[in-house]
Amino acid sequence: MSREGDGTTDGNEKYGRKPFKRSKSHFADRITADGADGWPVEAGRYRLVISRACPWASRAAISRRLLGLEDALSLAVTDPLQDARSWRFTLDPGGKDPVLGIRYLHEAYDAREKDYPGGVSVPAVVDVPSGRLVTNDFQQMTLDLATEWSGLHRPGAPDLYPEALREEMHEVMEGVYRDLNNGVYRAGFATGQKEYEAAYSDVFRRLGLLSERLADRRYLVGESITEADIRLFTTLVRFDAVYHGHFKCNRHKLVEDPVLWAYARDLYQTPGFGDTVDFDHIKRHYYEVHTGVNPTGIVPCGPDLSAWTSPHHREQLGGRPFGDGTPPGPVPAGEEVPAGHRP
């Protein structure tokens, strides 16, 4: 078995002859203001490792940008193509992460737990001084960035996890996760017709409910962008590029739903969202790594991405993208998505 979890997107996925089931994050330590788990928030101590191909990792990349944590939490971007030794740092000079000094993410996992038998997943936060993995808990990670790391947020950072809205947010996010974020994977990695059809039905039922919800409101919960929007966006931005064809979620495309297509474009054009998206990495990873789904490894030329920057008119619904805050600044030097990888 390969270290990255049979070549799937984030190492928390398994597919084969058994029905698809996402495993729980094995390393669920938290980095908190009080350091209760032994990992205190500290500027410059930790490194966030992502793949721009992975929707779960993209959540962390967006949150980090919106909150202005770039100087406090450094970023490592892996190659979109894994090999049997896990996510690799072949995009960096010499094929080695310049801060951690490792060639493969599994080295940080091994430093934490030698011969750990599970998948090597992103996003992952690594303790730079020790080289040890701290957490790969993608569900909790962004919530902690929004709350526990608040002392290091930029001036004007938005409140992505408003306390008064949390109950409603979790209700919305749970449905989105079950039926859509994870539902596309259940459809794509299904090993039987009934299993596939059930997942397919969940995906489009949830898309229909979301379209109704967003028809007269700009954002999912409240009047501003929250964690709920981030979690929905990372699936929507991949829908036509990979999920529609590669995962057989083909009842209709995102561009054929006027509400969701406008909503997705609105977020894409918001600083902190689209500037983290790398369509080249997304397509190459899914189509080249998932050989069980796409044995030829051929990467489709389409879809046309130019419309992502077209007017969306969602501002007519009101709302304030950053609430009482302000947009994030420019993408830091060295973190830009390469030219030609986005519209």
Side-chain angles (χ1 to χ4, degrees), residues 104-341:
Y104 296 92
L105 182 55
H106 82 75
E107 296 174 56
Y109 277 68
D110 287 346
R112 171 69 184 270
E113 184 177 317
K114 189 66 175 176
D115 298 323
Y116 160 64
V120 176
S121 66
V122 289
V125 178
V126 179
D127 178 50
V128 174
S130 67
R132 298 170 62 206
L133 175 77
V134 177
T135 180
N136 66 350
D137 188 348
F138 68 94
Q139 298 280 39
Q140 185 62 44
M141 188 182 299
T142 48
L143 300 182
D144 285 342
L145 290 180
T147 54
E148 299 295 330
W149 289 69
S150 61
L152 296 175
H153 289 178
R154 65 178 174 86
D159 185 356
L160 299 177
Y161 193 41
E163 191 165 359
L165 300 178
R166 289 179 188 178
E167 184 176 353
E168 183 181 2
M169 286 176 62
H170 280 283
E171 181 180 356
V172 171
M173 292 190 299
E174 172 57 30
V176 169
Y177 173 78
R178 182 185 61 247
D179 296 335
L180 187 59
N181 299 148
N182 202 45
V184 292
Y185 284 89
R186 289 191 291 113
F189 294 147
T191 56
Q193 188 68 31
K194 289 184 178 180
E195 178 191 349
Y196 160 71
E197 290 180 4
Y200 174 96
S201 177
D202 287 343
V203 166
F204 286 97
R205 177 176 55 82
R206 183 59 55 182
L207 286 174
L209 292 172
L210 290 167
S211 186
E212 292 177 8
R213 182 181 182 91
L214 289 164
D216 58 359
R217 56 193 303 166
R218 192 170 179 184
Y219 302 110
L220 275 175
V221 183
E223 297 298 313
S224 305
I225 291 166
T226 67
E227 171 82 11
D229 297 292
I230 296 172
R231 295 188 179 196
L232 175 55
F233 173 78
T234 58
T235 294
L236 294 184
V237 79
R238 288 162 173 77
F239 200 87
D240 288 1
V242 289
Y243 300 147
H244 179 271
H246 184 59
F247 279 175
K248 306 179 184 68
C249 294
N250 58 359
R251 179 180 296 173
H252 60 72
K253 296 179 179 178
L254 177 66
V255 298
E256 295 168 351
D257 184 310
V259 172
L260 292 181
W261 175 224
Y263 166 81
R265 297 200 319 280
D266 185 5
L267 291 178
Y268 183 87
Q269 294 169 34
T270 299
F273 282 83
D275 53 33
T276 71
V277 175
D278 189 320
F279 283 108
D280 177 78
H281 281 204
I282 290 169
K283 290 171 59 178
R284 287 173 56 213
H285 174 82
Y286 279 87
Y287 285 104
E288 292 188 47
V289 172
H290 295 169
T291 54
V293 179
N294 184 41
T296 65
I298 294 173
V299 180
C301 294
D304 179 10
L305 302 175
S306 61
W308 277 101
T309 57
S310 64
H312 53 76
H313 306 297
R314 294 278 295 180
E315 65 279 356
Q316 297 174 6
L317 295 174
R320 298 176 298 153
F322 305 101
D324 294 329
T326 58
V331 177
E335 294 187 9
E336 304 94 338
V337 173
H341 290 199

